[in-house]
Amino acid sequence: MREAIGGSLRRARTARRRTLREVSRRARVSLGYLSEVERGRKEPSSELLAAICEALDITLSDLLGDAAETLAATLDVVRRPVGLRHTDLRIAGADDPTAMPLGPVAAPVTRPQPVARAAA
């Protein structure tokens, strides 16, 4: 994520033909720190990102949208959480009524019948 945001900042800066020095002065951040942010080595705070965006005359939402597009383009495989969710479980033959059950089959639950009383 840091690299995507940094790349988006660098593209915005170079598209506007601004130097690191110009942007760092306008955003009131050190030139070295801004360079580290652009290279994805530092993760800026939301306040610092807002200041850099203001110095570049772009909105924070535009910057984050560009970073999101970059991330989406670089992810080839949708990452799935480790482990299975209940919706991921598939039982072979579950939709086939003739398939053998996978485990022991319990007898159906029946209600006890009332005992008939003998006539006295």
Side-chain angles (χ1 to χ4, degrees):
M1 184 65 155
R2 286 190 318 251
E3 291 167 355
I5 290 173
S8 295
L9 285 171
R10 179 169 286 173
R11 282 189 298 278
R13 180 179 59 77
T14 56
R16 286 157 180 75
R17 299 182 186 270
R18 301 219 180 117
T19 65
L20 273 171
R21 187 172 308 281
E22 291 169 337
V23 175
S24 69
R25 283 182 182 158
R26 278 190 73 189
R28 295 182 183 205
V29 61
S30 75
L31 182 123
Y33 191 78
L34 180 58
S35 175
E36 294 279 316
V37 168
E38 281 191 0
R39 288 184 282 147
R41 302 236 171 119
K42 297 286 183 183
E43 188 167 339
S45 66
S46 57
E47 293 85 6
L48 183 58
L49 262 182
I52 296 168
C53 286
E54 188 175 323
L56 290 169
D57 298 318
I58 61 172
T59 64
L60 184 57
S61 61
D62 286 343
L63 173 78
L64 295 177
D66 183 67
E69 288 175 11
T70 301
L71 279 174
T74 59
L75 291 177
D76 294 335
V77 178
V78 175
R79 297 180 193 252
R80 296 179 61 117
V82 174
L84 296 174
R85 297 177 303 203
H86 72 282
T87 56
D88 292 333
L89 298 176
R90 304 286 186 261
I91 299 173
D95 54 348
D96 182 3
T98 63
M100 295 292 292
L102 295 176
V105 177
V109 177
T110 58
R111 294 179 184 246
Q113 300 296 320
V115 178
R117 293 188 180 182

